Amino acid sequence: FVDNEDFFHKRNRFYDDDGNFYEDNDERTIFFNKGAIEILLKLGWMPDIIHCHGWMTGLIPLYARTIYKNEPVFRQGKIVYTAYQDVIDEQLGDNFVKKTHLKRNADKVKDTLTNPRPVDIQKVGASYADAVSEGDTQIADELKTHIGSLNKPTLGYQDPGSEAFTNAYVDLYQKLLS
């Protein structure tokens, strides 16, 4: 549903063919997050739970709880953020906060989003979500510590191939919706 010829077509995910981190990964991330939110609003779809996965979706909980907080979908819906082990340690640039257009809404996260790494965006996603889960057996210590400091439901890693996986997420979702 979210597409942009310049950002996504005929490109690798985050690195060019020579192994260089794309200079516009910051703008691609912001575009994708805002685009996902705008699609929900345009379709008039009000899911009970929005489940965000990984750093590329880490701004969705922030946007939903700040700029878009008065939209019915975000007043009623719950957000789950799943954190992953990042293998990307590059930074997204000094102008990242400015490019997000958060303005006064960025006060709490301004330091975290000043020249952020993907792990920093994951911290923001976890902070603004209603619940957090771990999508890998190992995640960065700093992210694990951050998640542990949050006063919200958390779910440790669940093997996607197991029956326990489905049951654990159903339990988490039910807890959020009750």
Side-chain angles (χ1 to χ4, degrees), residues 51 53 82 84 133-135 155-173:
H51 196 143
H53 288 265
T82 297
Y84 292 90
S133 65
E134 296 178 16
L155 179 62
Y157 175 77
Q158 304 293 312
D159 179 359
S162 71
E163 189 175 311
F165 176 88
T166 302
N167 293 336
Y169 277 98
V170 167
D171 289 346
L172 178 65
Y173 294 163

PDB file of all heavy atoms in Angstrom, residues 51 53 82 84 133-135 155-173:
ATOM      1  N   HIS A  51       0.157  -3.703  14.868  1.00  0.00           N
ATOM      2  CA  HIS A  51       1.379  -4.381  15.305  1.00  0.00           C
ATOM      3  C   HIS A  51       2.518  -3.941  14.391  1.00  0.00           C
ATOM      4  O   HIS A  51       2.521  -4.231  13.204  1.00  0.00           O
ATOM      5  CB  HIS A  51       1.195  -5.896  15.250  1.00  0.00           C
ATOM      6  CG  HIS A  51       2.218  -6.635  16.025  1.00  0.00           C
ATOM      7  ND1 HIS A  51       1.922  -7.778  16.725  1.00  0.00           N
ATOM      8  CD2 HIS A  51       3.528  -6.401  16.229  1.00  0.00           C
ATOM      9  CE1 HIS A  51       3.016  -8.216  17.319  1.00  0.00           C
ATOM     10  NE2 HIS A  51       4.006  -7.391  17.019  1.00  0.00           N
ATOM     11  N   HIS A  53       6.574  -3.863  13.378  1.00  0.00           N
ATOM     12  CA  HIS A  53       7.731  -4.755  13.455  1.00  0.00           C
ATOM     13  C   HIS A  53       9.000  -4.042  13.014  1.00  0.00           C
ATOM     14  O   HIS A  53       9.100  -3.590  11.881  1.00  0.00           O
ATOM     15  CB  HIS A  53       7.520  -5.977  12.547  1.00  0.00           C
ATOM     16  CG  HIS A  53       6.509  -6.933  13.062  1.00  0.00           C
ATOM     17  ND1 HIS A  53       6.843  -8.030  13.801  1.00  0.00           N
ATOM     18  CD2 HIS A  53       5.165  -6.950  12.945  1.00  0.00           C
ATOM     19  CE1 HIS A  53       5.754  -8.703  14.114  1.00  0.00           C
ATOM     20  NE2 HIS A  53       4.710  -8.058  13.613  1.00  0.00           N
ATOM     21  N   THR A  82       7.218  -4.782  18.032  1.00  0.00           N
ATOM     22  CA  THR A  82       8.139  -5.901  18.145  1.00  0.00           C
ATOM     23  C   THR A  82       9.537  -5.436  17.782  1.00  0.00           C
ATOM     24  O   THR A  82       9.768  -4.903  16.689  1.00  0.00           O
ATOM     25  CB  THR A  82       7.709  -7.079  17.245  1.00  0.00           C
ATOM     26  OG1 THR A  82       6.435  -7.544  17.699  1.00  0.00           O
ATOM     27  CG2 THR A  82       8.701  -8.227  17.326  1.00  0.00           C
ATOM     28  N   TYR A  84      13.668  -6.066  17.230  1.00  0.00           N
ATOM     29  CA  TYR A  84      14.542  -7.065  16.628  1.00  0.00           C
ATOM     30  C   TYR A  84      16.003  -6.694  16.849  1.00  0.00           C
ATOM     31  O   TYR A  84      16.329  -5.533  17.101  1.00  0.00           O
ATOM     32  CB  TYR A  84      14.278  -7.168  15.122  1.00  0.00           C
ATOM     33  CG  TYR A  84      12.929  -7.753  14.802  1.00  0.00           C
ATOM     34  CD1 TYR A  84      11.809  -6.937  14.663  1.00  0.00           C
ATOM     35  CD2 TYR A  84      12.766  -9.126  14.654  1.00  0.00           C
ATOM     36  CE1 TYR A  84      10.568  -7.469  14.381  1.00  0.00           C
ATOM     37  CE2 TYR A  84      11.522  -9.668  14.375  1.00  0.00           C
ATOM     38  CZ  TYR A  84      10.430  -8.843  14.240  1.00  0.00           C
ATOM     39  OH  TYR A  84       9.198  -9.380  13.968  1.00  0.00           O
ATOM     40  N   SER A 133       7.063  -6.654  22.255  1.00  0.00           N
ATOM     41  CA  SER A 133       7.499  -8.040  22.185  1.00  0.00           C
ATOM     42  C   SER A 133       8.885  -8.094  21.551  1.00  0.00           C
ATOM     43  O   SER A 133       9.318  -7.135  20.908  1.00  0.00           O
ATOM     44  CB  SER A 133       6.503  -8.893  21.389  1.00  0.00           C
ATOM     45  OG  SER A 133       6.446  -8.497  20.043  1.00  0.00           O
ATOM     46  N   GLU A 134       9.558  -9.209  21.763  1.00  0.00           N
ATOM     47  CA  GLU A 134      10.888  -9.414  21.197  1.00  0.00           C
ATOM     48  C   GLU A 134      10.775 -10.375  20.021  1.00  0.00           C
ATOM     49  O   GLU A 134      10.259 -11.478  20.164  1.00  0.00           O
ATOM     50  CB  GLU A 134      11.836  -9.959  22.254  1.00  0.00           C
ATOM     51  CG  GLU A 134      12.069  -8.980  23.387  1.00  0.00           C
ATOM     52  CD  GLU A 134      12.979  -9.527  24.482  1.00  0.00           C
ATOM     53  OE1 GLU A 134      13.680 -10.540  24.253  1.00  0.00           O
ATOM     54  OE2 GLU A 134      12.982  -8.937  25.564  1.00  0.00           O
ATOM     55  N   GLY A 135      11.250  -9.960  18.860  1.00  0.00           N
ATOM     56  CA  GLY A 135      11.143 -10.754  17.658  1.00  0.00           C
ATOM     57  C   GLY A 135      12.360 -11.590  17.341  1.00  0.00           C
ATOM     58  O   GLY A 135      12.364 -12.328  16.366  1.00  0.00           O
ATOM     59  N   LEU A 155       6.465  -9.148  26.003  1.00  0.00           N
ATOM     60  CA  LEU A 155       6.461 -10.561  25.661  1.00  0.00           C
ATOM     61  C   LEU A 155       7.845 -10.906  25.145  1.00  0.00           C
ATOM     62  O   LEU A 155       8.319 -10.297  24.184  1.00  0.00           O
ATOM     63  CB  LEU A 155       5.401 -10.834  24.588  1.00  0.00           C
ATOM     64  CG  LEU A 155       5.254 -12.257  24.074  1.00  0.00           C
ATOM     65  CD1 LEU A 155       4.841 -13.201  25.220  1.00  0.00           C
ATOM     66  CD2 LEU A 155       4.227 -12.309  22.955  1.00  0.00           C
ATOM     67  N   GLY A 156       8.495 -11.849  25.804  1.00  0.00           N
ATOM     68  CA  GLY A 156       9.801 -12.302  25.350  1.00  0.00           C
ATOM     69  C   GLY A 156       9.684 -13.045  24.028  1.00  0.00           C
ATOM     70  O   GLY A 156       8.589 -13.299  23.525  1.00  0.00           O
ATOM     71  N   TYR A 157      10.822 -13.421  23.498  1.00  0.00           N
ATOM     72  CA  TYR A 157      10.870 -14.102  22.211  1.00  0.00           C
ATOM     73  C   TYR A 157      10.033 -15.367  22.230  1.00  0.00           C
ATOM     74  O   TYR A 157      10.090 -16.145  23.172  1.00  0.00           O
ATOM     75  CB  TYR A 157      12.309 -14.437  21.833  1.00  0.00           C
ATOM     76  CG  TYR A 157      12.396 -15.257  20.570  1.00  0.00           C
ATOM     77  CD1 TYR A 157      12.222 -14.653  19.336  1.00  0.00           C
ATOM     78  CD2 TYR A 157      12.618 -16.623  20.622  1.00  0.00           C
ATOM     79  CE1 TYR A 157      12.269 -15.392  18.165  1.00  0.00           C
ATOM     80  CE2 TYR A 157      12.677 -17.378  19.448  1.00  0.00           C
ATOM     81  CZ  TYR A 157      12.502 -16.763  18.232  1.00  0.00           C
ATOM     82  OH  TYR A 157      12.543 -17.506  17.082  1.00  0.00           O
ATOM     83  N   GLN A 158       9.265 -15.547  21.163  1.00  0.00           N
ATOM     84  CA  GLN A 158       8.463 -16.754  20.959  1.00  0.00           C
ATOM     85  C   GLN A 158       8.857 -17.355  19.613  1.00  0.00           C
ATOM     86  O   GLN A 158       8.919 -16.643  18.614  1.00  0.00           O
ATOM     87  CB  GLN A 158       6.961 -16.412  20.938  1.00  0.00           C
ATOM     88  CG  GLN A 158       6.462 -15.696  22.169  1.00  0.00           C
ATOM     89  CD  GLN A 158       6.509 -16.586  23.403  1.00  0.00           C
ATOM     90  OE1 GLN A 158       6.062 -17.722  23.378  1.00  0.00           O
ATOM     91  NE2 GLN A 158       7.065 -16.064  24.482  1.00  0.00           N
ATOM     92  N   ASP A 159       9.097 -18.642  19.572  1.00  0.00           N
ATOM     93  CA  ASP A 159       9.453 -19.327  18.333  1.00  0.00           C
ATOM     94  C   ASP A 159       8.234 -19.322  17.400  1.00  0.00           C
ATOM     95  O   ASP A 159       7.203 -19.900  17.730  1.00  0.00           O
ATOM     96  CB  ASP A 159       9.870 -20.762  18.638  1.00  0.00           C
ATOM     97  CG  ASP A 159      10.232 -21.563  17.398  1.00  0.00           C
ATOM     98  OD1 ASP A 159      10.145 -21.020  16.271  1.00  0.00           O
ATOM     99  OD2 ASP A 159      10.606 -22.742  17.554  1.00  0.00           O
ATOM    100  N   PRO A 160       8.340 -18.660  16.239  1.00  0.00           N
ATOM    101  CA  PRO A 160       7.198 -18.560  15.329  1.00  0.00           C
ATOM    102  C   PRO A 160       6.676 -19.912  14.836  1.00  0.00           C
ATOM    103  O   PRO A 160       5.542 -20.001  14.377  1.00  0.00           O
ATOM    104  CB  PRO A 160       7.718 -17.733  14.156  1.00  0.00           C
ATOM    105  CG  PRO A 160       8.965 -17.102  14.620  1.00  0.00           C
ATOM    106  CD  PRO A 160       9.502 -17.930  15.733  1.00  0.00           C
ATOM    107  N   GLY A 161       7.476 -20.937  14.927  1.00  0.00           N
ATOM    108  CA  GLY A 161       7.048 -22.249  14.468  1.00  0.00           C
ATOM    109  C   GLY A 161       6.305 -23.056  15.514  1.00  0.00           C
ATOM    110  O   GLY A 161       5.855 -24.168  15.252  1.00  0.00           O
ATOM    111  N   SER A 162       6.146 -22.483  16.691  1.00  0.00           N
ATOM    112  CA  SER A 162       5.520 -23.244  17.774  1.00  0.00           C
ATOM    113  C   SER A 162       4.074 -22.810  18.008  1.00  0.00           C
ATOM    114  O   SER A 162       3.677 -21.702  17.667  1.00  0.00           O
ATOM    115  CB  SER A 162       6.316 -23.062  19.068  1.00  0.00           C
ATOM    116  OG  SER A 162       6.137 -21.755  19.570  1.00  0.00           O
ATOM    117  N   GLU A 163       3.318 -23.700  18.615  1.00  0.00           N
ATOM    118  CA  GLU A 163       1.939 -23.369  18.996  1.00  0.00           C
ATOM    119  C   GLU A 163       1.940 -22.298  20.089  1.00  0.00           C
ATOM    120  O   GLU A 163       1.026 -21.484  20.174  1.00  0.00           O
ATOM    121  CB  GLU A 163       1.214 -24.622  19.485  1.00  0.00           C
ATOM    122  CG  GLU A 163      -0.265 -24.401  19.692  1.00  0.00           C
ATOM    123  CD  GLU A 163      -0.996 -25.681  20.056  1.00  0.00           C
ATOM    124  OE1 GLU A 163      -0.789 -26.694  19.367  1.00  0.00           O
ATOM    125  OE2 GLU A 163      -1.769 -25.643  21.025  1.00  0.00           O
ATOM    126  N   ALA A 164       2.976 -22.300  20.903  1.00  0.00           N
ATOM    127  CA  ALA A 164       3.080 -21.310  21.975  1.00  0.00           C
ATOM    128  C   ALA A 164       3.132 -19.884  21.421  1.00  0.00           C
ATOM    129  O   ALA A 164       2.670 -18.947  22.064  1.00  0.00           O
ATOM    130  CB  ALA A 164       4.325 -21.579  22.827  1.00  0.00           C
ATOM    131  N   PHE A 165       3.694 -19.726  20.231  1.00  0.00           N
ATOM    132  CA  PHE A 165       3.783 -18.415  19.591  1.00  0.00           C
ATOM    133  C   PHE A 165       2.395 -17.795  19.452  1.00  0.00           C
ATOM    134  O   PHE A 165       2.141 -16.681  19.908  1.00  0.00           O
ATOM    135  CB  PHE A 165       4.448 -18.570  18.214  1.00  0.00           C
ATOM    136  CG  PHE A 165       4.503 -17.302  17.406  1.00  0.00           C
ATOM    137  CD1 PHE A 165       5.563 -16.433  17.534  1.00  0.00           C
ATOM    138  CD2 PHE A 165       3.500 -16.986  16.491  1.00  0.00           C
ATOM    139  CE1 PHE A 165       5.639 -15.267  16.777  1.00  0.00           C
ATOM    140  CE2 PHE A 165       3.556 -15.832  15.733  1.00  0.00           C
ATOM    141  CZ  PHE A 165       4.631 -14.967  15.877  1.00  0.00           C
ATOM    142  N   THR A 166       1.509 -18.515  18.813  1.00  0.00           N
ATOM    143  CA  THR A 166       0.149 -18.011  18.592  1.00  0.00           C
ATOM    144  C   THR A 166      -0.550 -17.745  19.917  1.00  0.00           C
ATOM    145  O   THR A 166      -1.152 -16.684  20.108  1.00  0.00           O
ATOM    146  CB  THR A 166      -0.665 -19.004  17.750  1.00  0.00           C
ATOM    147  OG1 THR A 166       0.011 -19.202  16.506  1.00  0.00           O
ATOM    148  CG2 THR A 166      -2.065 -18.483  17.491  1.00  0.00           C
ATOM    149  N   ASN A 167      -0.457 -18.679  20.825  1.00  0.00           N
ATOM    150  CA  ASN A 167      -1.116 -18.524  22.130  1.00  0.00           C
ATOM    151  C   ASN A 167      -0.585 -17.317  22.896  1.00  0.00           C
ATOM    152  O   ASN A 167      -1.356 -16.584  23.515  1.00  0.00           O
ATOM    153  CB  ASN A 167      -0.964 -19.799  22.963  1.00  0.00           C
ATOM    154  CG  ASN A 167      -1.719 -20.966  22.366  1.00  0.00           C
ATOM    155  OD1 ASN A 167      -2.681 -20.793  21.623  1.00  0.00           O
ATOM    156  ND2 ASN A 167      -1.278 -22.174  22.683  1.00  0.00           N
ATOM    157  N   ALA A 168       0.725 -17.108  22.856  1.00  0.00           N
ATOM    158  CA  ALA A 168       1.326 -15.984  23.575  1.00  0.00           C
ATOM    159  C   ALA A 168       0.831 -14.647  23.023  1.00  0.00           C
ATOM    160  O   ALA A 168       0.499 -13.733  23.786  1.00  0.00           O
ATOM    161  CB  ALA A 168       2.849 -16.068  23.502  1.00  0.00           C
ATOM    162  N   TYR A 169       0.754 -14.533  21.697  1.00  0.00           N
ATOM    163  CA  TYR A 169       0.286 -13.276  21.108  1.00  0.00           C
ATOM    164  C   TYR A 169      -1.210 -13.084  21.306  1.00  0.00           C
ATOM    165  O   TYR A 169      -1.660 -11.961  21.564  1.00  0.00           O
ATOM    166  CB  TYR A 169       0.697 -13.166  19.632  1.00  0.00           C
ATOM    167  CG  TYR A 169       2.113 -12.654  19.505  1.00  0.00           C
ATOM    168  CD1 TYR A 169       3.167 -13.524  19.316  1.00  0.00           C
ATOM    169  CD2 TYR A 169       2.390 -11.301  19.633  1.00  0.00           C
ATOM    170  CE1 TYR A 169       4.472 -13.058  19.231  1.00  0.00           C
ATOM    171  CE2 TYR A 169       3.684 -10.814  19.551  1.00  0.00           C
ATOM    172  CZ  TYR A 169       4.719 -11.707  19.355  1.00  0.00           C
ATOM    173  OH  TYR A 169       5.997 -11.226  19.287  1.00  0.00           O
ATOM    174  N   VAL A 170      -1.979 -14.140  21.227  1.00  0.00           N
ATOM    175  CA  VAL A 170      -3.416 -14.028  21.499  1.00  0.00           C
ATOM    176  C   VAL A 170      -3.616 -13.552  22.942  1.00  0.00           C
ATOM    177  O   VAL A 170      -4.429 -12.644  23.198  1.00  0.00           O
ATOM    178  CB  VAL A 170      -4.150 -15.364  21.250  1.00  0.00           C
ATOM    179  CG1 VAL A 170      -5.561 -15.334  21.826  1.00  0.00           C
ATOM    180  CG2 VAL A 170      -4.193 -15.665  19.754  1.00  0.00           C
ATOM    181  N   ASP A 171      -2.862 -14.105  23.869  1.00  0.00           N
ATOM    182  CA  ASP A 171      -2.965 -13.670  25.274  1.00  0.00           C
ATOM    183  C   ASP A 171      -2.586 -12.200  25.424  1.00  0.00           C
ATOM    184  O   ASP A 171      -3.254 -11.447  26.126  1.00  0.00           O
ATOM    185  CB  ASP A 171      -2.070 -14.524  26.170  1.00  0.00           C
ATOM    186  CG  ASP A 171      -2.576 -15.939  26.340  1.00  0.00           C
ATOM    187  OD1 ASP A 171      -3.752 -16.218  25.992  1.00  0.00           O
ATOM    188  OD2 ASP A 171      -1.787 -16.785  26.836  1.00  0.00           O
ATOM    189  N   LEU A 172      -1.511 -11.783  24.761  1.00  0.00           N
ATOM    190  CA  LEU A 172      -1.082 -10.386  24.832  1.00  0.00           C
ATOM    191  C   LEU A 172      -2.155  -9.472  24.256  1.00  0.00           C
ATOM    192  O   LEU A 172      -2.520  -8.455  24.862  1.00  0.00           O
ATOM    193  CB  LEU A 172       0.239 -10.190  24.082  1.00  0.00           C
ATOM    194  CG  LEU A 172       0.775  -8.767  24.031  1.00  0.00           C
ATOM    195  CD1 LEU A 172       1.149  -8.248  25.409  1.00  0.00           C
ATOM    196  CD2 LEU A 172       1.971  -8.687  23.072  1.00  0.00           C
ATOM    197  N   TYR A 173      -2.673  -9.804  23.095  1.00  0.00           N
ATOM    198  CA  TYR A 173      -3.720  -8.995  22.463  1.00  0.00           C
ATOM    199  C   TYR A 173      -4.960  -8.908  23.353  1.00  0.00           C
ATOM    200  O   TYR A 173      -5.546  -7.832  23.512  1.00  0.00           O
ATOM    201  CB  TYR A 173      -4.103  -9.545  21.099  1.00  0.00           C
ATOM    202  CG  TYR A 173      -3.025  -9.471  20.037  1.00  0.00           C
ATOM    203  CD1 TYR A 173      -3.135 -10.250  18.883  1.00  0.00           C
ATOM    204  CD2 TYR A 173      -1.913  -8.641  20.144  1.00  0.00           C
ATOM    205  CE1 TYR A 173      -2.172 -10.192  17.892  1.00  0.00           C
ATOM    206  CE2 TYR A 173      -0.949  -8.584  19.157  1.00  0.00           C
ATOM    207  CZ  TYR A 173      -1.086  -9.364  18.032  1.00  0.00           C
ATOM    208  OH  TYR A 173      -0.139  -9.302  17.048  1.00  0.00           O
TER     209      TYR A 173
END
